[in-house]
Amino acid sequence: MKTVNQVNGFSKERFLQVVKRFWVLNQKKWLIGFAGGIGILILVFLLNSFGNISDMTSSTNTFTGLAVVGLGLTLYKYGGYFLTSGIFNELGKKSSASQMLTLPASTFEKFLAGWFLTYLLYTVVVVGLLYVIGIVLGINPILTSQQLSDPVVNMSNVYFLDALLTFTALHSVFFLGSIYFDGNNFLKTLLSIVLFFIAIGILTVIFLTAYPSGPDNMVNFSFNMGFDPTNIALAGALVKLGIAVLFLFLSYRQLQNRQIA
């Protein structure tokens, strides 16, 4: 890798070199992951095609497309979490931590390079491929509310945009885990998420137990939730974006702290 003297401010050249370094160190794992994902999608397509070989109607082809793209979105999310959790794995190794921390690049350039590779570039490539696959198989996965010519098949079943927002939120959590934990980053981050929800569940039970009950021994909430589908979807999207912003900020601060330490 070409040596660049570190200067104040943001350098496009240093940023691209850090991106290249991350890619070189992780390309084997990434390529294996992409190859495995594509292989699974091809297998699912062939199984659906052979199972319906006697019924080659438009509806059958559409359901096959939904199965492939739906599974592809699942692989996109969970595969992305796994790959993201290892992007800063050098920090957990004594033999390579010093090399990572002393790179001739600023903390922001390292942070942005990791986010660019694991989120932006990864999303553009994978979602772009799934979009093309969806079009070839007779569906348009970017439309999440419109129906196709077959009224039985609704595009909301694909949850394309919801999958993207969910990945945006949880990616930031695993991104923080890749910086915070030393080794086994994916499993430790996953365990932290599980423990967090267990703690929330316990606190909820304690709150419901301590909250003054009504005559029927049921907790009475007087506010109006307003269960409008549009409002719920918008609120969910804002919450996921808020989570992403918060954990990305914490990730940057954690990388700063490790840089100083």
Side-chain angles (χ1 to χ4, degrees):
M1 178 169 140
K2 181 181 176 182
T3 301
V4 181
N5 294 326
Q6 185 173 359
V7 295
N8 294 328
F10 178 80
S11 169
K12 180 181 177 181
E13 184 179 1
R14 292 199 306 265
F15 164 73
L16 292 177
Q17 288 195 20
V18 177
V19 171
K20 180 180 178 181
R21 185 176 188 274
F22 278 145
W23 168 250
V24 170
L25 293 175
N26 295 276
Q27 63 178 337
K28 183 177 180 180
K29 179 172 61 177
W30 281 58
L31 291 176
I32 292 175
F34 273 100
I38 293 173
I40 292 174
L41 294 183
I42 292 175
L43 179 61
V44 170
F45 172 75
L46 293 176
L47 291 175
N48 278 273
S49 298
F50 291 152
N52 299 286
I53 195 169
S54 60
D55 184 12
M56 299 301 291
T57 64
S58 175
S59 177
T60 300
N61 291 335
T62 301
F63 278 113
T64 300
L66 286 171
V68 172
V69 174
L71 177 60
L73 289 175
T74 301
L75 294 175
Y76 155 71
K77 290 189 292 185
Y78 292 99
Y81 303 150
F82 179 77
L83 295 177
T84 299
S85 64
I87 193 64
F88 287 103
N89 58 0
E90 290 179 275
L91 294 175
K93 302 176 182 178
K94 294 182 179 180
S95 59
S96 58
S98 59
Q99 299 176 14
M100 174 65 187
L101 295 174
T102 57
L103 279 177
S106 67
T107 303
F108 179 70
E109 288 162 350
K110 297 173 186 177
F111 167 83
L112 187 61
W115 178 86
F116 173 81
L117 188 61
T118 60
Y119 178 80
L120 187 59
L121 186 60
Y122 173 77
T123 296
V124 169
V125 172
V126 177
V127 172
L129 287 174
L130 289 177
Y131 180 82
V132 172
I133 291 173
I135 296 299
V136 171
L137 296 180
I139 66 171
N140 188 345
I142 202 67
L143 301 176
T144 58
S145 60
Q146 296 183 3
Q147 290 186 335
L148 301 179
S149 57
D150 183 356
V152 178
V153 181
N154 190 294
M155 289 315 301
S156 62
N157 293 330
V158 181
Y159 301 110
F160 188 89
L161 297 180
D162 182 67
L164 182 61
L165 288 171
T166 300
F167 178 75
T168 300
L170 288 181
H171 165 271
S172 63
V173 178
F174 282 92
F175 194 77
L176 174 60
S178 70
I179 302 171
Y180 184 82
F181 295 113
D182 293 331
N184 298 316
N185 304 69
F186 177 77
L187 294 177
K188 290 180 179 178
T189 305
L190 188 61
L191 179 60
S192 299
I193 295 174
V194 172
L195 292 177
F196 171 79
F197 281 106
I198 291 176
I200 292 295
I202 293 174
L203 292 176
T204 301
V205 171
I206 294 174
F207 172 77
L208 293 178
T209 303
Y211 198 91
S213 301
D216 54 357
N217 293 324
M218 296 294 293
V219 177
N220 182 22
F221 294 99
S222 60
F223 57 86
N224 183 11
M225 292 293 292
F227 290 107
D228 181 78
T230 302
N231 292 337
I232 293 176
L234 179 59
L238 292 177
V239 168
K240 291 176 182 178
L241 291 176
I243 291 173
V245 172
L246 172 63
F247 276 87
L248 287 176
F249 171 75
L250 294 176
S251 299
Y252 178 69
R253 294 293 296 173
Q254 179 63 24
L255 187 59
Q256 273 188 323
N257 293 336
R258 300 203 67 166
Q259 190 79 31
I260 295 172

